[in-house]
Structures are given as structure tokens and as C-alpha cells.
Amino acid sequence: MREDFHGLPCWYELTTPDPARDGAFYSAVLGWDWDHSPMEGMDYAVARMNGAMVAGMMAPPDPGIPPNWLIYFAISDCDATVSAMVADGAMLLMPPADIPGTGRFAVLTDPQGAAFALLQPLPGGAGAAFDQTRAGHGNWHELTTPDPVAAVAFYARHLGLGEVQAMDMGPMGHYHILGCGDRQIGGAMRAPVPDVPPFWMPYFGVDGVEAALARLTAAGGSVQHGPADVPGGAVIVQARDPRGAWFAVVGPR
């Protein structure tokens, strides 16, 4: 029997060469407070929104790793899920390991090359990072990939994260709405230009997109798309932070 949390996003992790400056950037844009949670061999920072832990941040373990956001998906059995995914074409970047007080995690790329992470939380530890009703929390998750149909099938097999609707976007193909259980949590689409590598982009909720946009640009971020209206009455802005990591905000105008 699947656990209620299996397949749901549960954590967001920023890798950046300048944690202090990027921490200040996201505090300005999203209202996050940061505290340090040192781990063996690294200085790890945790972002909180009104006391709830919503994201983590660290310097890259390898200087060749570009700034990026990594999305974690909760699973009921880390080792079994990793084995099944690797047998199905995924590449293992970091094998299953325990995080004291948190759970067991692994990092992979899907068969199309997009990086993601898995977390088997300790009992009662799925967390509150993903909450579509609260500003400053994860709200939506968008996969850009050269083969959306194959990618969606992969996540459906292993996470129960399957297509619930396909929206025709004309020359860009279809936007595949992804659902986990009875919740719509993200989408998958083909890259608008061929040189965009496969990646997952997190959308964070805000109380007002235009105000967040003003804070974003004032703090040194760059807008890549939007503001744009999306189905359901929300507005989005896709952006890059001062170090180049992609993210987006979503909420009322």
C-alpha cells in the first residue's frame, strides 16, 4: 500500500557558490529567514517561513556544479525506489544515505537527464515545504524535457506522479499537468529551444506577483518570462537568481 506522501514534493535545495548573497536574495523576494544546520563536511542553511522549514541551501561539493534548485520527492522506500528507477534508465548521482534526524535520501537523473532527489522521511517527517495554500512555500513544479511523454510515464511508474490533463500549446506541443493522488502538483513540457538542458524548476507561492517581481529585480534577479496569466486565475513569473539558478513565483497579480 502506498503511503499518503509517496510521490509528493517535500523539499527544495539550492546549490550556490555564494550562499550568503543568495540567502539574502531569497529573503528579500520570498520573506525567508535562514539558520545554519551544519552537517558533516558542509555548512547547510535552512530557510523558514513563519517557523516552517521550507528549503535548504549549500555550496556545491564540486566547483563544476552550476547554481541550481533540486526538488526532493517523498517516497516510502528509498532503496527499492532507487533500484527500480535505475533499472528503468535513471542514473544514480548519489546513492541512498541516511540524514540523521530526517530520513534516507538519494539523488538521480531521470532517463532524459533531469536531476531530482528522493527522500524517505522518518515517521511523521514529510514536512511542510510543499504547501499550495501558503506564501513562501513550494507551490508548483515544472519539468522541461526533450521527451515529456516518456518522462511523465517514468514518474508515473515510480512515484505515482502521472498525467491528469494535456493542454495544447500549439507549436510548443502539449503541457502535461501532473497529479499525485487527487492533487495537481506540476507540469511537464518540451523545451522551447533545443539547447535548454532537462531540469525541474520549483515555483514558490507569493501573496502578490507584481510586488514579488519588484523585489526580485531590485535584489538582482532577472525575469525570463512573465508576468503571465495561467489557468486557475494565478499569475506566474519565471526568473533566474543573481547566480543564474532558475525558479518561479506564482500567486495573485
Side-chain angles (χ1 to χ4, degrees), residues 49-111:
M49 188 69 181
N50 297 321
M53 295 191 299
V54 292
M57 179 175 60
M58 64 180 185
D62 182 324
I65 298 175
N68 72 92
W69 276 101
L70 182 68
I71 297 174
Y72 283 65
F73 296 93
I75 37 89
S76 53
D77 188 324
C78 183
D79 293 71
T81 304
V82 166
S83 294
M85 285 181 162
V86 170
D88 199 17
M91 180 181 295
L92 186 60
L93 300 181
M94 187 173 294
D98 293 325
I99 305 173
T102 299
R104 191 162 175 82
F105 85 110
V107 183
L108 307 92
T109 60
D110 65 25

Side-chain angles (χ1 to χ4, degrees), residues 38-207:
M39 297 186 182
E40 185 176 352
M42 73 173 70
D43 184 11
Y44 197 84
V46 173
R48 296 178 184 270
M49 188 69 181
N50 297 321
M53 295 191 299
V54 292
M57 179 175 60
M58 64 180 185
D62 182 324
I65 298 175
N68 72 92
W69 276 101
L70 182 68
I71 297 174
Y72 283 65
F73 296 93
I75 37 89
S76 53
D77 188 324
C78 183
D79 293 71
T81 304
V82 166
S83 294
M85 285 181 162
V86 170
D88 199 17
M91 180 181 295
L92 186 60
L93 300 181
M94 187 173 294
D98 293 325
I99 305 173
T102 299
R104 191 162 175 82
F105 85 110
V107 183
L108 307 92
T109 60
D110 65 25
Q112 285 69 45
F116 66 99
L118 302 174
L119 176 66
Q120 178 185 341
L122 295 176
F130 170 55
D131 189 334
Q132 293 171 309
T133 68
R134 300 170 69 186
H137 292 243
N139 183 288
W140 193 253
H141 314 82
E142 193 166 82
L143 174 63
T144 298
T145 175
D147 191 342
V149 172
V152 170
F154 171 84
Y155 290 102
R157 284 192 294 272
H158 301 290
L159 298 180
L161 188 57
E163 181 183 298
V164 297
Q165 182 183 355
M167 299 172 57
D168 189 351
M169 299 192 299
M172 292 182 62
H174 287 83
Y175 190 83
H176 305 265
I177 304 293
L178 303 177
C180 188
D182 59 356
R183 303 175 69 176
Q184 293 186 9
I185 65 94
M189 61 181 290
R190 195 175 67 239
V193 292
D195 60 344
V196 175
F199 74 108
W200 278 99
M201 179 167 59
Y203 283 60
F204 298 107
V206 293
D207 289 330

